[in-house]
Each structure stands twice: as structure tokens, then as C-alpha cells.
Amino acid sequence: MNLDIYRTLGRSGLRVSPLALGTMTFGADWGWGSEKDEARQIFDAYRDRGGNFVDTANQYTNGTSEQFVGEFAKGIRDRLVIATKYTLTTRPGDPNSGGNHRKSMVRSVEDSLRRLDTDYIDLLYLHIWDFTTPVEEVMRAFDDLVRAGKVLYAGISDTPAWQVARMQTLADLRGWSPLVALQIEYSLIERTVERELIPMAAELGLGVVPWSPLASGVLTGKYGRADLEIGEGAASPTGTRKNVAAANGALTERGLVIADVVKEVAAELGVTPAQVALAWTLLNSAVVSPIIGARTPAQLADNLGALDVRFTDAQRDRLHRATAVELGFPHDMLARPMTREVTFGGVQLERRAS
């Protein structure tokens, strides 16, 4: 598989690469990102391999990420699929400078267009659910921006499945622009999204775009037990990557046990742990394009090697058993032999494709 063997995003006809370039590492504002020259090298290396799907957000590295992406995209803008996000506050203390509401969305889009130096955004995500804004307001505002040509497609990130389902149904009923992408945390360490979010996305036509497929670096094998004692100040995007790993809940004893299994499989295949972790996410048919957040050109080259990884059935089973989560009710109950017997009475049914 190569970066220039493209996939369609959700129910749309938009073609994107099978690995997206994450740019939260573009800019040193938070203490651990790449300076402009190195970020440019990463961007160019991704493009040279045929990559076209670039992910950023309004507040990544305080806006520097969008500025760098806009500068690097000059001359090739229309060849790229640039995704950005709104929701994060831009003026702490101002109640309307963040959130999911229309004012926040419109203002954020205008600011992103300026930083990206473009007249349209290919994919705009709602970044984080705020639990206050009516879904009608969100979906109508998305549709207005699409009709105005400032946004081409709408997506959503980090939101409960039942809310996403409401929004998609509402868009379908009212003829508004639907959601075509779902960005969620998904990795060998974080598999609870397999309970509701991933099945919902497959059923309702949202392409899954995983963030943190390497679990903030934990699955690369870079951390050990001594790193578990990180102390105060971990819950912040600033400082070190270890801070982020701890704040995201990936740097735990369980996470390190899983990382050990990943290293074992990587050694058997003669590849790196990062390549194993990324390749595993691509095994899920609902996943369109995991986001790779390389901080150096060498890390990018290593991550792209995931496209060539092939697991044996035994290796896939070992990774599954080491990381599986309980699906819980009603999924576990519905899968029990007694439930299936009283429901189907021995009738064999072929499941329809999603």
C-alpha cells in the first residue's frame, strides 16, 4: 500500500491518503514541536510520497500549526485535503471564544482561513463536544458554511455516539450537509470506541480518522516503568511529550504491558513497534486514514513503513487478546448463544454490508 493509493472519506467522494499527516507537532510553542524548517521537511516528505491529507486545528501550537500549513501549501493548495477544527477557546475568559455554537464556529473558520491563507477549508471538524449547544444549531451552521463555499465537508471529533447519530439523522432529514468523518482516539491501548463509535460510523457513513494511533508514543516502546512517576503538571499540552502521554491516559502500567506485546510482534516481523501499532489500526475496515504526528523526518519515514506491514493470523490474534476490551451491555448479551438461539431459532442469516 502507498500513500497515493487513495480512499474515499465516509459517504463522500473525497479521496484521501491512507495515512494523514498530523500537524500538532508543527511549531515549538508548546515546548516539544518542530521548528519551521524541520516541519517543512516533514511536510515535503509526506507530499513526495503522494500524501494529500493534512490535519490541523485552530489552536494547535497556538495557531502556528495552521500558519505553517498555509505557508507550505502555497502553489499546491488544490492538490491537498486540508482538515482543521473549531471549538477550542482562543481567548480564555471570553465565554464565546470557544465552544460548539454558531458564533464560535463562524469566527474560528474566518480566523483559520486567514492563518491558512486560503479561501476554503476542505474538511471542518467540530473538535470536542461541549454538552451545551443544540445539535440543530451545529448542523445548520455547518450547512451554511458549506453553502457559502468556505467549507466543503463537515466532520466531528470526540463526541458521544448518540449525539453524532442524532446530528447525522437530522442532516439527512433536513437535506443539510452530512458528517463524512469521525475523528476519535483509537489504538491498541484505546479500544473502547469499538463499543459504539466505530459501529455507528460504519452504519451512518462516517469515515474513521484515528488520532493518537501510537498512544502518545507509548506504543513505540520509548517509555518504561520509571516514566510512570511523572508527578504534577501532567494534564497539559505544554512541556514534554511525556506530559501529553500521561494527560491522555496512555502512560499507565496497562499501556506499558501492551507496548511490550507490540515490541514482541515487531521483532518477529523485523519492523518497528510504531509500524506495528499503526498497521493494526488499518485492519479495521471502518478506519480510513490514521493520523501520524511525526516530530522529525525520520519519525515520518518510519511511520510510513506501516503501510507495508502484514500480520500473520497468530500475530493478529495475540494483539487482539492482549488489548481486547469488554463491549458491555447490550453487545455481550446479544452475542450469547442463548440469546441468539431464542432470537433466531437456529436460522442462519448472512449479515448485510454496512
Side-chain angles (χ1 to χ4, degrees), residues 148-338:
K150 295 183 177 182
V151 171
L152 302 187
Y153 296 94
I156 194 161
S157 171
D158 305 334
T159 299
W162 63 275
Q163 286 286 25
V164 179
R166 286 182 68 205
M167 296 162 84
Q168 192 74 320
T169 302
L170 181 67
D172 286 346
L173 288 173
R174 298 193 177 177
W176 295 342
S177 296
L179 302 168
V180 303
L182 175 71
Q183 190 170 135
I184 49 175
E185 183 177 6
Y186 186 45
S187 72
L188 282 160
I189 288 177
E190 176 47 80
R191 293 184 58 184
T192 60
V193 291
E194 293 175 5
R195 294 170 177 159
E196 300 291 347
L197 282 159
I198 287 181
M200 178 274 302
E203 185 72 19
L204 297 182
L206 287 83
V208 176
V209 180
W211 60 264
S212 200
L214 300 182
S216 299
V218 173
L219 293 173
T220 68
K222 66 191 289 186
Y223 298 116
R225 269 66 185 175
D227 294 306
L228 295 176
E229 303 298 327
I230 191 170
E232 296 294 326
S236 170
T238 62
T240 68
R241 291 290 279 177
K242 189 194 299 186
N243 286 9
V244 176
N248 281 342
L251 186 51
T252 63
E253 178 62 34
R254 175 179 175 272
L256 294 178
V257 169
I258 292 172
D260 287 341
V261 178
V262 171
K263 285 188 284 186
E264 292 170 5
V265 172
E268 293 172 6
L269 292 169
V271 300
T272 66
Q275 291 169 349
V276 167
L278 279 165
W280 177 86
T281 64
L282 288 165
L283 295 176
N284 192 310
S285 61
V287 169
V288 175
S289 184
I291 297 171
I292 50 177
R295 193 183 55 79
T296 66
Q299 288 179 353
L300 176 69
D302 178 72
N303 289 174
L304 295 182
L307 296 174
D308 299 320
V309 173
R310 299 293 181 270
F311 299 111
T312 66
D313 290 343
Q315 289 165 341
R316 291 175 63 165
D317 184 61
R318 195 186 330 163
L319 290 169
H320 172 75
R321 285 186 287 105
T323 63
V325 295
E326 291 185 3
L327 296 182
F329 183 88
H331 309 287
D332 289 338
M333 183 274 289
L334 294 173
R336 290 174 189 150
M338 183 182 74

Side-chain angles (χ1 to χ4, degrees), residues 108-125:
S108 181
V109 164
E110 295 293 346
D111 290 343
S112 289
L113 291 171
R114 174 178 50 79
R115 284 190 293 266
L116 290 165
D117 194 19
T118 185
D119 55 5
Y120 70 98
I121 293 165
D122 294 285
L123 174 61
L124 177 68
Y125 289 101

Side-chain angles (χ1 to χ4, degrees), residues 26 36 40 43-44 47-48 54 65-82 112-120 122:
F26 281 17
K36 182 183 286 188
R40 181 66 196 240
F43 181 91
D44 288 346
R47 282 288 304 140
D48 289 344
V54 181
S65 173
E66 285 188 328
Q67 291 173 9
F68 283 5
V69 169
E71 183 175 333
F72 301 160
K74 287 188 183 303
I76 57 169
R77 170 65 187 94
D78 288 341
R79 292 181 173 272
L80 299 173
V81 175
I82 297 178
S112 289
L113 291 171
R114 174 178 50 79
R115 284 190 293 266
L116 290 165
D117 194 19
T118 185
D119 55 5
Y120 70 98
D122 294 285

Side-chain angles (χ1 to χ4, degrees), residues 22-28 32-35 39 42 61 65 241 293-295:
T23 64
M24 192 167 72
T25 56
F26 281 17
W32 44 263
S34 306
E35 298 287 357
I42 294 168
T61 53
S65 173
R241 291 290 279 177
R295 193 183 55 79

